[in-house]
């Protein structure tokens, strides 16, 4: 069954269209204005968005833009009165699949919806394939990881993704979700390390209005948001022990209570977890509950560090080159010597560090093919960006802090715990700062 988000401010139109689409076997979520619709879009992906162009509090154009941002493969169909056809045409130019004029011809509606859904499905298939392709590597270890992803994606089995920082754990989680029958359903990522201790419970399980001071409204937690879809608990090793008990209960009972409520809500989620810590060691040290460990360690996927698969370095370098060329609108190449050097030097770091190093090299290079001399000195070049002693005049203190923090993070190979330690700040402070800099790529925002 496909789920369609239908937005129109006229109750009568919503009712008629809902009836027709429900008859065609679809499930409909209706919204009567832009605010309501944007809230629905934030909660989950839809198979189709059908929106009125003119809304009391905004426009279908905003909805189109937001839908394209959240879920680029979801087709959007506009509904428009005669007065605003030129806007509808503009919407199709901006990526809307088609438009219907009011009064809506119900036959045309059926056909347009069918075609739009078909296109969305095709695009999703392509995207699913590419989610796995995003995981670059031909080493036996990476090939095995990809095989495993393909095998288990179709089941609801809980997967524990283990690997050092920057080895691609999030890519594996993305691929697992994209290949699963829950693709297109909510995919909620929670970075456990980034949650503040006081708010973990309400973040995960939600709260009732007045449950604690500051709880001015009822709020859904991440588990509820992920209902019907997938929940990704990243850095699960950082979860406080008292929360581990509560998490275990939810996983066993498949139900939860919001903070401040005694009502039990059922949840249907597929759980993915990731960690860069050695959970067995944490169990031995009494920092991670053994029963929870067994619950989440149903199917472990271990991603080996890059130093154990030097054969993948060249492929990765070429993959990142494509990415940088697209990002900067250039057409550079790596020289053979540079590729050989990358593979030959003992690579301590991980894929993220390789990517960062290569991006710096790419940007500094004044000629193509890019030669060894543009690599940083640690690996035989002369192109380091040194923060100490090399600061330009006129920087604000905030800017200096930001540059230094990012350089320490890069020195730690992208390992946030390590960087936090060397900077003598807490991991959460580090997350907060990175978030403020807009450097938490693809990671959860912090809500405190
Ligand atoms: N096999 C790979 N192929 C292509 N890119 C990769 C691969 N592994 C990692 N990357 C890239 O390296 C970066 C880090 O990957 P990702 O965020 O998935 O790692 P992680 O293990 O979740 O890291 P962390 O522990 O810091 O959260 C991303 O930019 C990602 O695209
Ligand atoms: Mg990660």
């Amino acid at each position: 069954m496909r789920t369609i988000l239908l937005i129109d401010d006229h109750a009568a139109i919503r009712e008629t269209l809902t009836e027709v689409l429900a008859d065609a076997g679809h499930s409909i979520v209706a919204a009567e204005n832009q605010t309501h619709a944007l809230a629905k879009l934030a909660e989950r992906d839809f198979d189709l968005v059908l929106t009125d162009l003119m809304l009391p509090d905004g426009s279908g154009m905003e909805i189109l833009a937001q839908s394209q941002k959240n879920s680029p493969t979801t087709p959007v169909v506009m509904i428009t009165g005669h007065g605003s056809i030129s806007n509808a045409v503009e919407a199709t130019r901006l990526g809307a699949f088609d438009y219907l004029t009011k009064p809506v011809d119900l036959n045309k509606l059926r056909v347009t919806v069918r075609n739009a859904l078909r296109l969305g499905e095709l695009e999703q298939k392509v995207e699913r394939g590419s989610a796995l392709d995003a995981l670059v590597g031909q080493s036996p270890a990476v090939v095995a990881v990809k095989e495993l992803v393909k095998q288990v994606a179709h089941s609801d089995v809980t997967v524990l993704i283990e690997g050092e920082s920057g080895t691609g754990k999030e890519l594996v989680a993305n691929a697992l979700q994209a290949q699963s029958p829950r693709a297109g359903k909510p995919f909620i990522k929670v970075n456990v390390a980034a949650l503040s201790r006081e708010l973990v419970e309400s973040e995960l399980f939600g709260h009732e209005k007045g449950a604690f001071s500051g709880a001015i409204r009822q709020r859904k937690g991440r588990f509820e948001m992920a209902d019907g879809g997938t929940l990704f608990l990243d850095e699960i090793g950082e979860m406080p022990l008292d929360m581990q008990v509560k998490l275990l209960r939810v996983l066993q009972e498949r139900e939860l209570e919001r903070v401040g409520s005694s009502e039990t809500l059922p949840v249907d989620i597929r759980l993915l977890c990731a960690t860069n810590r050695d959970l067995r060691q944490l169990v031995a040290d009494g920092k991670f509950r053994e029963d929870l460990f067994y619950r989440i360690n149903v199917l472990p996927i271990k991603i080996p560090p890059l130093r154990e698969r030097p054969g993948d370095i060249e492929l990765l370098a070429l993959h990142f080159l494509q990415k940088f060329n697209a990002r900067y609108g250039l057409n550079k190449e790596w020289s053979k010597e540079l590729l050989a050097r990358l593979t030959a030097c003992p690579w301590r770091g991980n894929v993220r560090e390789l990517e960062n190093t290569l991006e710096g090299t790419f940007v500094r290079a004044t000629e193509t093919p890019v030669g060894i001399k543009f690599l940083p000195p640690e690996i035989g070049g002369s192109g380091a960006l040194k923060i100490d002693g090399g600061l330009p005049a006129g920087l604000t203190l905030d800017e200096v802090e930001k540059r230094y923090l990012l350089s320490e993070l890069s020195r730690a190979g992208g390992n946030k715990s390590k960087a936090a330690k060397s900077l003598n700040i807490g991991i959460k402070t580090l997350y907060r700062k990175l978030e403020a800099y807009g450097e938490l790529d693809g990671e959860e925002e912090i809500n405190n």
Side-chain angles (χ1 to χ4, degrees):
M1 195 197 292
R2 325 287 171 63
T3 308
I4 300 176
L5 177 62
L6 167 69
I7 307 131
D8 199 301
D9 51 323
H10 295 285
I13 296 187
R14 282 201 307 276
E15 274 160 29
T16 316
L17 299 193
T18 299
E19 201 171 298
V20 172
L21 295 169
D23 276 351
H26 306 307
S27 137
I28 316 300
V29 174
E32 75 271 9
N33 56 34
Q34 179 181 305
T35 316
H36 194 174
L38 293 180
K40 295 280 172 209
L41 282 176
E43 277 172 22
R44 54 164 297 170
D45 288 352
F46 291 89
D47 296 304
L48 172 71
V49 174
L50 190 59
T51 178
D52 194 4
L53 200 55
M54 292 227 261
L55 294 166
D57 59 341
S59 133
M61 295 299 230
E62 293 281 322
I63 290 166
L64 171 65
Q66 196 55 38
S67 171
Q68 285 180 323
K69 208 166 136 216
N70 288 2
S71 165
T73 58
T74 299
V76 179
V77 172
M78 318 301 287
I79 309 173
T80 173
H82 280 298
S84 45
I85 289 183
S86 60
N87 287 339
V89 173
E90 172 66 7
T92 55
R93 202 184 59 79
L94 292 174
F97 175 75
D98 202 351
Y99 63 89
L100 299 164
T101 48
K102 284 185 190 174
V104 176
D105 174 338
L106 297 181
N107 274 328
K108 180 145 197 277
L109 170 75
R110 288 190 196 96
V111 174
T112 307
V113 164
R114 197 179 57 214
N115 290 343
L117 285 170
R118 218 173 260 166
L119 174 80
E121 242 161 56
L122 268 177
E123 290 195 344
Q124 238 172 47
K125 260 194 202 141
V126 173
E127 199 177 66
R128 282 182 201 191
S130 66
L132 202 55
D133 290 342
L135 203 67
V136 174
Q138 279 178 350
S139 57
V142 171
V143 172
V145 166
K146 288 185 168 210
E147 279 306 312
L148 210 49
V149 167
K150 271 196 227 153
Q151 275 173 26
V152 302
H154 297 288
S155 71
D156 267 350
V157 63
T158 302
V159 178
L160 175 64
I161 309 162
E162 294 173 287
E164 291 178 16
S165 176
T167 44
K169 295 187 292 297
E170 186 156 351
L171 287 184
V172 168
N174 292 344
L176 279 167
Q177 202 269 348
Q179 300 260 321
S180 80
R182 291 173 185 250
K185 301 280 162 44
F187 182 30
I188 305 293
K189 300 180 181 182
V190 184
N191 191 323
V192 176
L195 295 175
S196 84
R197 214 189 149 83
E198 306 79 61
L199 291 179
V200 184
E201 187 174 2
S202 111
E203 275 298 329
L204 292 181
F205 306 136
H207 61 246
E208 292 299 330
K209 182 175 169 180
F212 47 87
S213 64
I216 37 178
R217 271 181 262 159
Q218 183 203 62
R219 188 160 173 232
K220 278 191 186 179
R222 307 297 176 102
F223 269 87
E224 260 182 90
M225 289 183 198
D227 196 27
T230 306
L231 181 69
F232 176 37
L233 292 178
D234 202 357
E235 314 221 13
I236 186 135
E238 311 298 325
M239 183 168 278
L241 272 168
D242 51 340
M243 278 314 298
Q244 293 180 20
V245 184
K246 294 185 172 144
L247 174 63
L248 183 65
R249 213 206 113 217
V250 177
L251 298 181
Q252 272 164 351
E253 315 288 330
R254 299 275 155 185
E255 57 185 33
L256 58 82
E257 283 116 39
R258 294 191 186 127
V259 179
S261 164
S262 52
E263 188 196 351
T264 306
L265 304 166
V267 279
D268 163 30
I269 55 153
R270 196 265 177 94
L271 184 69
L272 304 176
C273 300
T275 183
N276 58 15
R277 310 278 298 266
D278 180 351
L279 288 187
R280 288 161 200 83
Q281 189 57 48
L282 290 182
V283 169
D285 295 345
K287 294 194 176 123
F288 203 85
R289 291 182 63 101
E290 192 170 18
D291 44 10
L292 180 59
F293 173 66
Y294 286 117
R295 261 279 150 187
I296 61 172
N297 189 38
V298 183
L299 191 118
I301 295 187
K302 240 200 171 88
I303 314 180
L306 192 53
R307 62 178 175 278
E308 286 172 17
R309 45 187 172 102
D312 284 342
I313 290 178
E314 180 165 336
L315 262 186
L316 283 163
L318 294 171
H319 166 74
F320 293 133
L321 180 69
Q322 270 186 355
K323 194 161 147 184
F324 305 148
N325 274 327
R327 180 177 301 164
Y328 295 99
L330 295 169
N331 201 9
K332 295 187 182 179
E333 279 173 38
W334 302 132
S335 68
K336 283 206 178 65
E337 298 74 41
L338 183 140
L339 288 172
R341 170 64 56 88
L342 284 177
T343 307
C345 65
W347 194 263
R348 297 167 294 107
N350 264 315
V351 183
R352 181 184 290 110
E353 190 183 356
L354 177 67
E355 182 172 0
N356 291 342
T357 302
L358 286 176
E359 185 162 11
T361 306
F362 181 93
V363 171
R364 278 190 300 270
T366 46
E367 58 194 39
T368 177
V370 178
I372 289 179
K373 66 176 182 220
F374 297 103
L375 286 170
E378 311 87 272
I379 44 177
S382 54
L385 267 182
K386 279 219 176 86
I387 183 109
D388 45 306
L391 284 176
L395 287 182
T396 63
L397 196 55
D398 283 347
E399 184 63 18
V400 172
E401 180 185 277
K402 172 178 169 182
R403 290 198 188 192
Y404 188 64
L405 191 146
L406 292 177
S407 89
E408 281 299 295
L409 184 60
S410 152
R411 215 163 58 86
N415 184 327
K416 297 183 194 78
S417 323
K418 224 185 201 170
K421 220 170 259 163
S422 79
L423 290 162
N424 194 23
I425 56 176
I427 181 89
K428 277 169 198 136
T429 309
L430 181 72
Y431 269 101
R432 252 190 302 275
K433 288 185 186 289
L434 287 173
E435 203 214 5
Y437 306 153
E439 292 283 337
L440 272 189
D441 47 12
E443 295 181 29
E444 264 309 292
E445 80 280 12
I446 304 164
N447 286 301
N448 55 349

